[in-house]
Amino acid sequence: MKSVLVNKKGEQLIVCVLEDEKIAERYIFTEYTNSILGNIYACRVDKIIDGMQAAFVDIGTEKRAFISVKDALPKIDVVTEKQLQNDKMSFVLKEGQPLLVQVKKEPTDEKGARISTHITLPGKYIVLMPETNIITISQKIENESEKQRLKEIVKSNLEKNYGAIVRTEAENIDVELIKEDIVALFKLWQEIKNQYEKDDSVRLIYSGYEIIDFIMRELVDKNTNKLYINDKTMFEKIRDNLTKLDAEFYEEDLLEKFGLHTEYSRIEDRKVWLKCGGQIVIDKTEALTAIDINSGKYTGKEDLETTIFKVNSEAAIEIMRQLRLKDIGGIIVIDFIDMKSEEHKEKILDILRKEAKKDRSRVSIHEFTKLNLVEMTRKKVHSAN
């Protein structure tokens, strides 16, 4: 059972995805939230740096944005690994040259935004990629006949020089709904191009992170059966976009109403207790996130190996939830309690892979190392915390 809770409290808008009545994902927006991720800008190349195979670009923000040669090359050249004169940026871009770019990584206190000329426009079922002919299918769709069906639908409805990523949400979806998504994205891209071609000034062309669009596109899916909102204006806007999904409006604090306040207040805790009495400890460092599992209060009623396996099994499920909840990205190393059984180790990996399928982000899980560690990588999902 999955539901989405949209809770307005003071200047904050808290959005939670609930799975089996527990918080699985959390996003915070404030009146001061100013995300530029996904924004599309008309910009101008400011300075070429061949030694870094990059350039600094004026997009109209406080800090100049950064573009690598890979993100400046046409997408088709990157895919075919075409080399342009040793990849010197001065052979790809010129100072003063106008560009249409999209923000791929937020700016930090030290660095400006990371940008690319490879524009992507996310829809409900596909991500449109102009200026390329690449069509890829979400790796989470495993049925080969369904992959082929989706590829044929998208291919037959895309115009020349357009590619797409078929999203997981498209699995088993009616062809007409996918066509509608493609048409809407074509229309949006045409509007963006028209705006860009009006003049050569540096400016924002398209804002890629509207809160309502984000909720409806990224958080509400075919497994969502309920939407709870306590902001009247947002409820009315979202309700206009709903068909089958049931939405309910409440005036009170939704975290209090559904008994989630205590759970919510513990989201940032580094120590997480398991139902069995065991515990996981999450430590974030600059290079990676280390997660340790302790048996804690759990002693078990069977042999030691079975007791350890039960703690590790419950920990594996909870760890995958915590990665989503805390939006932990990068390299993750899990130190499970040592197991001698290779069968038990494989079952733990199966649990991790199964739980990873619930994650909207890309997760790559590796085998146990000789030191009984599991290494994985996860792409951080943007959230306006």
Side-chain angles (χ1 to χ4, degrees), residues 269-287:
D269 289 358
R270 62 183 284 268
K271 293 184 179 180
V272 181
W273 285 98
L274 305 173
K275 285 183 180 180
C276 68
Q279 187 185 69
I280 63 175
V281 182
I282 303 171
D283 288 311
K284 301 177 185 178
T285 71
E286 221 40 51

Side-chain angles (χ1 to χ4, degrees), residues 89-133:
M89 183 59 93
S90 55
F91 289 106
V92 181
L93 298 178
K94 303 297 179 185
E95 290 184 3
Q97 179 180 338
L99 284 178
L100 184 67
V101 299
Q102 186 171 39
V103 175
K104 300 298 182 181
K105 189 175 182 180
E106 294 272 23
T108 64
D109 291 338
E110 296 81 24
K111 299 177 181 178
R114 185 76 178 257
I115 59 175
S116 174
T117 57
H118 308 152
I119 308 294
T120 58
L121 298 176
K124 187 70 175 177
Y125 304 115
I126 75 159
V127 177
L128 186 68
M129 300 189 296
E131 310 300 332
T132 182
N133 56 5

Side-chain angles (χ1 to χ4, degrees), residues 26-62:
R26 181 274 310 258
Y27 304 86
I28 301 174
F29 305 89
T30 73
E31 291 184 7
Y32 307 105
T33 296
N34 191 26
S35 169
I36 66 171
L37 188 70
N39 283 6
I40 297 175
Y41 291 90
C43 63
R44 193 172 301 282
V45 178
D46 190 38
K47 187 175 182 180
I48 302 289
I49 308 176
D50 278 333
M52 294 175 61
Q53 295 183 316
F56 287 107
V57 178
D58 177 15
I59 62 172
T61 55
E62 184 179 349

Side-chain angles (χ1 to χ4, degrees), residues 16-28:
C16 295
V17 176
L18 307 183
E19 291 178 358
D20 299 323
E21 299 181 353
K22 293 181 70 175
I23 304 173
E25 296 177 44
R26 181 274 310 258
Y27 304 86
I28 301 174

Side-chain angles (χ1 to χ4, degrees), residues 55-90:
F56 287 107
V57 178
D58 177 15
I59 62 172
T61 55
E62 184 179 349
K63 292 187 179 74
R64 292 180 302 174
F66 177 89
I67 187 168
S68 68
V69 70
K70 184 177 179 180
D71 286 319
L73 285 167
K75 185 77 171 176
I76 190 65
D77 290 335
V78 176
V79 172
T80 59
E81 298 183 352
K82 180 179 177 181
Q83 301 296 308
L84 295 185
Q85 302 192 44
N86 297 322
D87 284 341
K88 279 191 174 183
M89 183 59 93
S90 55

Side-chain angles (χ1 to χ4, degrees), residues 39-245:
N39 283 6
I40 297 175
Y41 291 90
C43 63
R44 193 172 301 282
V45 178
D46 190 38
K47 187 175 182 180
I48 302 289
I49 308 176
D50 278 333
M52 294 175 61
Q53 295 183 316
F56 287 107
V57 178
D58 177 15
I59 62 172
T61 55
E62 184 179 349
K63 292 187 179 74
R64 292 180 302 174
F66 177 89
I67 187 168
S68 68
V69 70
K70 184 177 179 180
D71 286 319
L73 285 167
K75 185 77 171 176
I76 190 65
D77 290 335
V78 176
V79 172
T80 59
E81 298 183 352
K82 180 179 177 181
Q83 301 296 308
L84 295 185
Q85 302 192 44
N86 297 322
D87 284 341
K88 279 191 174 183
M89 183 59 93
S90 55
F91 289 106
V92 181
L93 298 178
K94 303 297 179 185
E95 290 184 3
Q97 179 180 338
L99 284 178
L100 184 67
V101 299
Q102 186 171 39
V103 175
K104 300 298 182 181
K105 189 175 182 180
E106 294 272 23
T108 64
D109 291 338
E110 296 81 24
K111 299 177 181 178
R114 185 76 178 257
I115 59 175
S116 174
T117 57
H118 308 152
I119 308 294
T120 58
L121 298 176
K124 187 70 175 177
Y125 304 115
I126 75 159
V127 177
L128 186 68
M129 300 189 296
E131 310 300 332
T132 182
N133 56 5
I134 303 162
I135 299 176
T136 60
I137 310 292
S138 167
Q139 292 181 353
K140 293 183 180 181
I141 300 176
E142 298 176 346
N143 184 286
E144 291 300 325
S145 61
E146 178 62 6
K147 284 184 180 180
Q148 191 58 38
R149 181 187 81 94
L150 291 171
K151 190 168 185 176
E152 289 301 321
I153 290 171
V154 173
K155 187 176 181 180
S156 60
N157 285 279
L158 285 181
E159 297 176 10
K160 189 178 180 181
N161 295 326
Y162 285 90
I165 302 168
V166 181
R167 307 186 69 180
T168 309
E169 186 65 12
E171 188 171 17
N172 300 319
I173 291 296
D174 184 77
V175 59
E176 292 304 320
L177 292 176
I178 298 174
K179 285 181 180 180
E180 287 176 11
D181 204 32
I182 294 172
V183 169
L185 291 172
F186 275 147
K187 182 179 179 183
L188 174 59
W189 175 238
Q190 195 57 54
E191 290 171 357
I192 290 169
K193 285 202 301 181
N194 290 342
Q195 285 293 319
Y196 175 64
E197 292 166 0
K198 278 186 177 180
D199 61 71
D200 59 359
S201 63
V202 174
R203 66 200 189 280
L204 173 66
I205 298 286
Y206 167 76
S207 179
Y209 208 79
E210 296 295 335
I211 295 175
I212 292 179
D213 289 343
F214 172 76
I215 292 171
M216 298 307 297
R217 184 182 68 232
E218 304 293 342
L219 304 184
V220 174
D221 59 30
K222 55 193 172 190
N223 297 316
T224 308
N225 54 15
K226 208 81 171 182
L227 185 62
Y228 302 101
I229 307 174
N230 73 345
D231 181 82
K232 190 68 174 178
T233 302
M234 183 168 284
F235 173 74
E236 290 174 350
K237 287 180 179 178
I238 287 180
R239 186 176 56 183
D240 293 339
N241 295 321
L242 298 179
T243 51
K244 297 179 181 179
L245 183 63

